[in-house]
Amino acid sequence: LLDIYYPEDVSVPKDVLLFIHGGSWNSGKKETYWWLGKNMARKNVVSVIINYSLSPEAQFEQMAMDCALAIKWVKENIAGFGGKPDRIFVMGHSAGGHLAALINNDPRFFKKQGIPNPIKAVILNDGFGLDMFEYLTVAVPNKRTKNFLKTFSNDKELWKAGSPSYYLENVNNPYLIFIGERTYHAIKHQSDRLFKDLNQLNKTTEFKVIPRKKHVGMISQMVFRKNQM
């Protein structure tokens, strides 16, 4: 399911922002982010907030497929809400950033939907899980690790298969990467590495650090129209 927020005037087509929420792959819902949709509509952007399957009932492949299906629907229907089908920008926060990057970088998800990748550009808002193989191999296990394994299993090959950083050669659109100055170390490290790796491959990318912001603050700041993003 998805919610659409759009300006009253639909006579002139507008850019589309599709948002994928975070929540460690096991929580979150589209209704929480109504304020994001309304703020973007006030800025003359058609905004789409989506749901996707959550763990433990689903693993990352099903979640990514849900997101790809939602984007296919938007591509085919958003013109009726004043949106430009060829100007779909996908933003994800935290685990939502992982899913946004995964469906953009790994061609199997849109191939399954029978369409070319329709994403104009990817916006990572403090994205987590860009390299789950590295994270699950190196990070000291904590109370969240068990939940992450419900999403990615105990199979190390699936940790790689579910990591956007292993498909960078497929990237043909721009990346805009935001991180909070006070966010988690893993997010800082992997976001910086993604930026450098994309640059090395001559991919279009931009990297911005938002001063004083922690992980949750990176999305909650967007309640306000004059946020730092």
Side-chain angles (χ1 to χ4, degrees), residues 97-162:
H98 161 266
L99 292 170
L102 184 61
I103 61 175
N104 185 71
N105 298 5
D106 184 347
R108 61 181 156 144
F109 297 105
F110 286 120
K111 185 176 181 180
K112 186 74 172 179
Q113 301 304 328
I115 61 171
N117 184 348
I119 299 175
K120 185 69 175 178
V122 177
I123 305 166
L124 298 184
N125 182 349
D126 229 46
F128 176 71
L130 303 175
D131 187 345
M132 286 306 293
F133 177 80
E134 177 189 61
Y135 180 84
L136 292 170
T137 302
V138 174
V140 177
N142 57 34
K143 60 183 180 180
R144 291 188 175 185
T145 305
K146 186 179 293 186
N147 285 329
F148 294 160
L149 291 176
K150 291 177 182 177
T151 300
F152 293 92
S153 84
N154 290 305
D155 185 343
K156 292 186 177 182
E157 289 304 311
L158 283 180
W159 300 353
K160 286 186 178 180

Side-chain angles (χ1 to χ4, degrees), residues 29-179:
K29 58 183 179 180
K30 59 183 175 57
E31 288 82 5
T32 302
Y33 300 92
W34 60 268
W35 41 267
L36 173 60
K38 287 195 172 186
N39 279 347
M40 296 309 298
R42 291 189 186 106
K43 293 180 178 182
N44 223 29
V45 175
V46 176
S47 183
V48 182
I49 317 293
I50 72 169
N51 273 346
Y52 54 90
S53 302
L54 301 173
S55 70
E57 287 76 18
Q59 293 187 322
F60 75 87
E61 289 176 318
Q62 181 60 54
M63 300 174 194
M65 202 63 71
D66 290 347
C67 294
L69 178 59
I71 294 171
K72 178 183 179 182
W73 188 94
V74 170
K75 173 75 173 176
E76 295 172 349
N77 295 277
I78 204 63
F81 300 89
K84 296 179 180 179
D86 60 342
R87 297 274 297 176
I88 300 173
F89 298 83
V90 176
M91 178 172 72
H93 173 252
S94 195
H98 161 266
L99 292 170
L102 184 61
I103 61 175
N104 185 71
N105 298 5
D106 184 347
R108 61 181 156 144
F109 297 105
F110 286 120
K111 185 176 181 180
K112 186 74 172 179
Q113 301 304 328
I115 61 171
N117 184 348
I119 299 175
K120 185 69 175 178
V122 177
I123 305 166
L124 298 184
N125 182 349
D126 229 46
F128 176 71
L130 303 175
D131 187 345
M132 286 306 293
F133 177 80
E134 177 189 61
Y135 180 84
L136 292 170
T137 302
V138 174
V140 177
N142 57 34
K143 60 183 180 180
R144 291 188 175 185
T145 305
K146 186 179 293 186
N147 285 329
F148 294 160
L149 291 176
K150 291 177 182 177
T151 300
F152 293 92
S153 84
N154 290 305
D155 185 343
K156 292 186 177 182
E157 289 304 311
L158 283 180
W159 300 353
K160 286 186 178 180
S163 296
S165 293
Y166 290 88
Y167 304 96
L168 299 187
E169 69 279 0
N170 300 320
V171 174
N172 294 307
N173 48 11
Y175 263 81
L176 177 55
I177 304 169
F178 290 101
I179 64 167

